[in-house]
Amino acid sequence: MLLSALACGAVVFPGLYFSFRTVLTRLFPKWSDADVVCVSERLVSAVHGSLATAAGVIIVTSCKDVMNDNHWLVNSFAIFGAPYMSFDIFAMYLSHFHTQKAKSPTTYRHSLQAVRAFLYKDWMLVLHHVTLVSVFMPITLFFRRGLGDFFIGCLFTTEFSTPFVSIGKILIQLGLDDTCLHRLNGLVVLLTFFACRILIFPFMYWTYGQQFGIPLFKVAFHLPLHCNLGNVVILAPQVYWFILLVKKARRLYLRQKKAKTDSEKESKQD
């Protein structure tokens, strides 16, 4: 079953990406290669995020015992999603490459310098993907001894914000970044990101404490050190990205407020 899930993931995500590229090229012939590859990457990311969230919700609602209950989706989806994490690094590189090539169409080429520039720009995302595949997937599949499917399901649900992040980038790509839809989506991104990528961690500790009768503030002391360290490693970049999202939202708000103020001043002068 695991080999079938791996093969399925290796076919589905690259297949979706190249299918989206083909369809978008035909639907929007005026789009540049950068537009097409960026939107295709975000669409595939949205699909994976939706599937991961659905799998996580099914697992979480099915496991009444947070430590001992098992669900077949845990291992199957972990191995199914591994090809996505690997392929998405390649897709992100293509997005970076075509974006830079649009700025220097005659000189920018595939090269080690281009790869280094991509890794320098998106090093945290790349590290996040590599860590999930090389560290957390083996832990999920081989080193948990069949325990904690509930918590793996919770971690799958952290992808709930991903489709909205992707929608926001697609709206910007379409030139709709100054619309009510983009502002509303931005608010949803902040709420879902905070709830599903940050609050999910105290929620997991709380549910563990509820099952074993331990107060929330004492739960960490009842868990092995490697469990707490693993949670910190996953949580830290989420907090960093959330801070970046808040700063970006603040900049957009101040820019729009300034534009509105300038428009009102011009109207009064007229």
Side-chain angles (χ1 to χ4, degrees):
M1 181 181 288
L2 293 183
L3 287 177
S4 298
L6 180 64
C8 187
V11 171
V12 167
F13 295 111
L16 281 174
Y17 176 79
F18 290 111
S19 296
F20 284 138
R21 284 188 64 171
T22 301
V23 171
L24 290 172
T25 300
R26 292 178 180 176
L27 288 179
F28 303 99
K30 294 184 179 180
W31 276 15
S32 67
D33 289 339
D35 293 329
V36 171
V37 296
C38 287
V39 173
S40 298
E41 179 213 335
R42 300 320 306 176
L43 287 172
V44 175
S45 182
V47 170
H48 173 265
S50 300
L51 293 175
T53 302
V57 170
I58 292 171
I59 294 165
V60 168
T61 55
S62 299
C63 295
K64 305 306 179 185
D65 186 316
V66 300
M67 287 302 298
N68 298 304
D69 282 355
N70 299 118
H71 199 287
W72 65 270
L73 263 177
V74 171
N75 289 349
S76 295
F77 191 83
I79 199 75
F80 171 75
Y84 163 77
M85 293 297 172
S86 303
F87 181 78
D88 193 48
I89 295 175
F90 173 67
M92 287 191 298
Y93 165 72
L94 288 181
S95 296
H96 168 82
F97 172 79
H98 285 286
T99 299
Q100 296 303 313
K101 187 174 176 60
K103 299 175 183 178
S104 306
T106 58
T107 59
Y108 205 79
R109 298 286 185 271
H110 290 292
S111 63
L112 287 176
Q113 183 178 357
V115 173
R116 282 197 297 267
F118 159 67
L119 294 175
Y120 178 79
K121 177 179 178 291
D122 290 320
W123 69 270
M124 184 168 283
L125 272 174
V126 173
L127 179 62
H128 175 68
H129 281 33
V130 171
T131 302
L132 287 177
V133 173
S134 62
V135 178
F136 289 101
M137 189 184 73
I139 290 174
T140 298
L141 295 177
F142 306 115
F143 300 114
R144 293 185 303 115
R145 304 191 308 276
L147 299 174
D149 282 22
F150 173 87
F151 300 112
I152 302 299
C154 288
L155 293 177
F156 285 163
T157 64
T158 61
E159 292 292 332
F160 183 53
S161 62
T162 301
F164 301 105
V165 173
S166 296
I167 290 171
K169 292 186 178 182
I170 291 172
L171 290 173
I172 293 174
Q173 208 73 26
L174 294 173
L176 300 175
D177 50 324
D178 194 23
T179 62
C180 291
L181 179 60
H182 184 260
R183 288 190 286 272
L184 177 61
N185 184 75
L187 178 61
V188 174
V189 167
L190 290 176
L191 293 175
T192 56
F193 199 100
F194 182 70
C196 296
R197 293 196 175 224
I198 295 177
L199 288 185
I200 193 68
F201 289 91
F203 170 74
M204 290 192 290
Y205 279 69
W206 177 80
T207 53
Y208 182 91
Q210 287 292 298
Q211 177 162 318
F212 295 100
I214 305 169
L216 176 60
F217 67 91
K218 291 185 178 180
V219 171
F221 300 103
H222 286 260
L223 294 174
L225 178 61
H226 63 269
C227 292
N228 291 313
L229 289 176
N231 286 328
V232 170
V233 169
I234 299 174
L235 177 61
Q238 314 306 326
V239 173
Y240 173 75
W241 287 324
F242 181 72
I243 292 172
L244 292 183
L245 287 173
V246 171
K247 288 182 177 180
K248 181 179 179 181
R250 184 174 181 274
R251 286 197 303 270
L252 289 174
Y253 171 76
L254 293 176
R255 187 179 69 186
Q256 292 170 357
K257 184 178 180 181
K258 183 177 183 300
K260 183 178 180 180
T261 302
D262 293 342
S263 177
E264 291 175 351
K265 287 181 180 179
E266 291 177 0
S267 298
K268 289 180 181 179
Q269 290 175 355
D270 294 340

